[in-house]
Amino acid sequence: MANTDQEILEGLAEIVAEETGLDKADVLLEKSFQDDLDIDSLSMMTIVTHAEDKFEVRIPDEEVKNLSTVGDAVSFIKGAQA
């Protein structure tokens, strides 16, 4: 079953909060993983792995570099579920 954008955002916020200690409320669509949330590439790979498990999608390594904002990740996951 495909998730709504809001469900994906909330799920990603939980994953990011667990990985980084950031507040879930700080994880917004327009936030950049690297610039705004200060997530390094190693943490990003962990977040991607957890997102793949949670949303039952595959995010190829070559796609990860295109996921610069939380909104990019939400859109990718939503498309991968369709």
Side-chain angles (χ1 to χ4, degrees), residues 48-78:
V48 164
T49 301
H50 288 301
E52 287 178 324
D53 292 343
K54 183 173 190 73
F55 298 110
E56 299 176 355
V57 296
R58 174 85 179 93
I59 305 171
D61 292 345
E62 61 272 10
E63 281 296 326
V64 174
K65 68 182 181 307
N66 299 324
L67 306 178
S68 57
T69 68
V70 174
D72 293 339
V74 169
S75 295
F76 183 90
I77 292 167
K78 181 148 182 138

Side-chain angles (χ1 to χ4, degrees), residues 3-43:
N3 297 90
T4 65
D5 288 4
Q6 187 61 38
E7 289 169 335
I8 296 169
L9 176 60
E10 289 170 7
L12 279 175
E14 287 175 18
I15 293 166
V16 169
E18 287 172 17
E19 175 65 20
T20 65
L22 290 168
D23 191 314
K24 288 190 284 192
D26 291 335
V27 183
L28 304 170
L29 291 174
E30 67 275 6
K31 296 281 187 162
S32 162
F33 286 110
Q34 189 171 15
D35 298 335
D36 298 322
L37 302 176
D38 201 28
I39 294 173
D40 62 25
S41 57
L42 185 60
S43 292

